[in-house]
Amino acid sequence: MPPDFLISLLARYSQQPPSIRPHVTLTFAQSTDAKIAAIPGKQLILSGDESMQMTHWLRSMHDAILVGIGTALNDDPQLNTRRLPPPHNLPRPIILDSHLRLSTSCKLLNNFRAGSGRRPWIISTPSQDPSWISRKDALEQAGANIIEIPSLNGRLSVPAVLQSLRDRDVRSLMVEGGATVIASFFSASVVDTLIITTAPTLVGDNGLGYTLAGSHQQFTLAHTQLLGKDTVTSWVA
Ligand SMILES: NC(=O)c1ccc[n+]([C@@H]2O[C@H](COP(=O)([O-])OP(=O)(O)OC[C@H]3O[C@@H](n4cnc5c(N)ncnc54)[C@H](OP(=O)(O)O)[C@@H]3O)[C@@H](O)[C@H]2O)c1
């Protein structure tokens, strides 16, 4: 069973989400000095076993999990629930990737082809560029479903992304980062629940920070939980 605090926190998601977007949970792990990664190109595992397990329960409580292409390229994540005992819900992986930079041999596509993961959806910007079209063909052959959304000022618009997911019957979405995606979702004021895992680690000035600026939403602390050595704080809008 998921931890009690997650069950009560997300109980309100059993209600119908807005017609324009799914319920959105924004979550990430940070060091005590508020870094979510070490130097670029190096994945930093911040969460301990207990909070990692909590994250997998959290994933199982959402229809889909979204990351940016920066995270997909840097970490090659699986975005699955492999730490949980079966049966449990396996969420749909979604990547924001305007230029289709995702590798056809990434773990998400490998897992899908091996029957151990759901088909990844890649959200991209339509293009007539022959190299974009050939990458699209290659990714589709590798198993991806490409969803095309026109870009806004050179970037995928968060409200348009959310509307397209809601139209595809995604009722709850967990957003797992990285830094650029966290900033976009926060400033779009579309976050219903914020869950931050803080590890007792100092990364230092070279680490990758994030910003929670620009939101019109106000968040109230809902719960604080010690999981192993990590502290998990949950906030509701
Ligand atoms: N500690 C944690 O919990 C955690 C979780 C996840 C990731 N991370 C870390 O975060 C780092 C990656 O962060 P990042 O900022 O480089 O990359 P990111 O946020 O994962 O991805 C950003 C990229 O996504 C694409 N994108 C498309 N539409 C977007 C939109 N509306 N808003 C934001 N991005 C959009 C853009 O690339 P295109 O223009 O090519 O589309 C953008 O450059 C990695 O080091 C990873 O380890 C940490």
Side-chain angles (χ1 to χ4, degrees):
M1 283 288 287
D4 287 346
F5 79 95
L6 289 185
I7 294 174
S8 38
L9 196 60
L10 300 191
R12 64 203 206 287
Y13 286 11
S14 61
Q15 292 168 6
Q16 189 74 350
S19 60
I20 55 168
R21 66 172 177 85
H23 297 294
V24 174
T25 303
L26 176 61
T27 185
F28 53 88
Q30 66 168 25
S31 61
T32 301
D33 55 345
K35 307 293 182 191
I36 65 162
I39 52 171
K42 287 221 169 164
Q43 186 182 14
L44 176 66
I45 307 285
L46 288 160
S47 306
D49 278 347
E50 295 86 350
S51 53
M52 195 76 90
Q53 175 102 1
M54 181 277 297
T55 298
H56 282 219
W57 279 119
L58 189 59
R59 287 177 175 176
S60 77
M61 297 165 83
H62 291 81
D63 289 341
I65 311 178
L66 179 147
V67 295
I69 184 63
T71 297
L73 293 176
N74 193 71
D75 301 356
D76 195 11
Q78 302 193 64
L79 305 179
N80 61 16
T81 51
R82 59 195 179 281
R83 286 172 174 257
L84 305 184
H88 52 262
N89 172 53
L90 193 55
R92 163 94 51 204
I94 297 172
I95 304 105
L96 297 186
D97 182 11
S98 322
H99 305 100
L100 295 182
R101 292 186 281 148
L102 187 70
S103 163
T104 52
S105 56
C106 67
K107 286 180 186 161
L108 288 173
L109 286 165
N110 288 347
N111 286 352
F112 170 66
R113 288 193 300 272
S116 59
R118 295 186 68 184
R119 183 188 293 280
W121 291 355
I122 304 175
I123 306 189
S124 191
T125 310
S127 169
Q128 297 306 315
D129 178 356
S131 67
W132 184 88
I133 292 168
S134 89
R135 284 197 298 282
K136 179 180 178 213
D137 287 346
L139 283 164
E140 284 176 338
Q141 275 182 22
N145 180 28
I146 315 281
I147 298 171
E148 297 179 29
I149 295 182
S151 73
L152 188 71
N153 303 324
R155 183 149 280 178
L156 292 162
S157 135
V158 169
V161 166
L162 291 176
Q163 179 73 73
S164 85
L165 296 180
R166 185 74 184 88
D167 292 346
R168 287 166 175 79
D169 213 23
V170 174
R171 294 165 46 92
S172 57
L173 177 71
M174 175 167 161
V175 178
E176 277 206 29
T180 314
V181 164
I182 291 170
S184 286
F185 273 76
F186 209 76
S187 68
S189 301
V190 292
V191 177
D192 298 303
T193 308
L194 178 63
I195 301 180
I196 303 176
T197 298
T198 304
T201 309
L202 296 172
V203 170
D205 289 348
N206 289 333
L208 178 67
Y210 61 90
T211 174
L212 296 184
S215 176
H216 302 307
Q217 297 177 290
Q218 293 213 322
F219 289 87
T220 306
L221 181 64
H223 191 80
T224 301
Q225 179 89 30
L226 200 59
L227 285 176
K229 292 180 175 169
D230 302 337
T231 307
V232 180
T233 51
S234 310
W235 308 75
V236 294

